[in-house]
Amino acid sequence: MIDLVRPIEAPDVAATAPARSRRGRRSLRPLCWFLASLLLGLSLTRLFHVTVIFGDSMWPQVSDGDLVLVSILAYRQGPIRAGDAVVLSHPEQPSMLVAKRVFGMPRDVIVFCRGNVSVGLAAPKSDCVSGVSDPLLSHVVAEEHYYLLGDNRDRSTDSRVWGDVHRRHIQGRIVFRLWPLTSFGPIA
């Protein structure tokens, strides 16, 4: 006699599971996406913020009405560098943000001559020294301070008016222009 052995089939778990548990998992998906988006948004606000540029003191690099992305993390991880375009709280009106370029670093010598501004210890040109009506002026940037200028010097209120700006006023480095779309891209 031959014994027939029938294989035991595993029950279909998906078919026997109550429909309610599948619906419960599906209803949690939007909540999970919302929480993930919220966490991502909160972490990004610690790294970047978006600001609108007011005024033309940084023209042609950025103009009035441009929407820019500012890296807050840039100066927490690395040094401020000469030439960086930065956003800072206005030294005289701290609630107002302004954009300027880092021109002088701590302990740099800023030299003023015939309407020009330069950085360095080099001897000034002879025509600058001989000018009686425009005497040579120089200034040493204080420790933990920066000398900031607008790119559009004729229309900029900057360190020539405020003096040196303390590091704590600098909010971050402008890294990207978001608007207008015709100028969308990184900021040098």
Side-chain angles (χ1 to χ4, degrees), residues 131-148:
V132 176
S133 62
D134 186 17
L136 173 68
L137 299 173
S138 67
H139 166 73
V140 178
V141 180
E143 196 65 40
E144 292 195 27
H145 287 72
Y146 296 86
Y147 199 83
L148 306 175

Side-chain angles (χ1 to χ4, degrees), residues 9 14 17 31 36 42 59 65 79 82 86-87 95 97 110 126 138 150 170 179:
E9 294 180 16
L31 178 62
L42 289 174
W59 180 86
V86 298
V87 167
S95 63
L97 295 178
I110 309 296
S126 60
S138 67
I170 298 175
W179 186 263

Side-chain angles (χ1 to χ4, degrees), residues 3-154:
D3 287 332
L4 295 175
V5 178
R6 280 197 222 169
I8 300 175
E9 294 180 16
D12 186 5
V13 176
T16 60
R20 186 172 62 176
S21 68
R22 274 187 266 147
R23 271 186 260 133
R25 279 189 227 135
R26 277 190 221 138
S27 66
L28 289 178
R29 282 187 186 155
L31 178 62
C32 290
W33 277 109
F34 172 76
L35 290 174
S37 299
L38 182 65
L39 288 174
L40 178 65
L42 289 174
S43 64
L44 285 178
T45 58
R46 300 239 182 246
L47 304 175
F48 298 98
H49 70 103
V50 176
T51 190
V52 177
I53 301 297
F54 292 104
D56 286 321
S57 71
M58 287 296 289
W59 180 86
Q61 189 68 30
V62 289
S63 300
D64 187 43
D66 284 2
L67 189 67
V68 295
L69 185 68
V70 178
S71 172
I72 299 168
L73 191 62
Y75 298 135
R76 290 184 185 157
Q77 291 187 330
I80 295 173
R81 295 186 180 103
D84 285 353
V86 298
V87 167
L88 64 138
S89 52
H90 193 288
E92 297 170 352
Q93 299 171 350
S95 63
M96 188 170 93
L97 295 178
V98 294
K100 300 295 173 201
R101 190 167 303 279
V102 177
F103 188 77
M105 304 293 287
R107 296 182 300 222
D108 275 353
V109 176
I110 309 296
V111 179
F112 306 90
C113 176
R114 296 188 192 274
N116 294 318
V117 184
S118 61
V119 177
L121 296 171
K125 296 178 183 176
S126 60
D127 65 336
C128 184
V129 176
S130 65
V132 176
S133 62
D134 186 17
L136 173 68
L137 299 173
S138 67
H139 166 73
V140 178
V141 180
E143 196 65 40
E144 292 195 27
H145 287 72
Y146 296 86
Y147 199 83
L148 306 175
L149 296 175
D151 288 353
N152 187 1
R153 304 260 161 75
D154 293 337

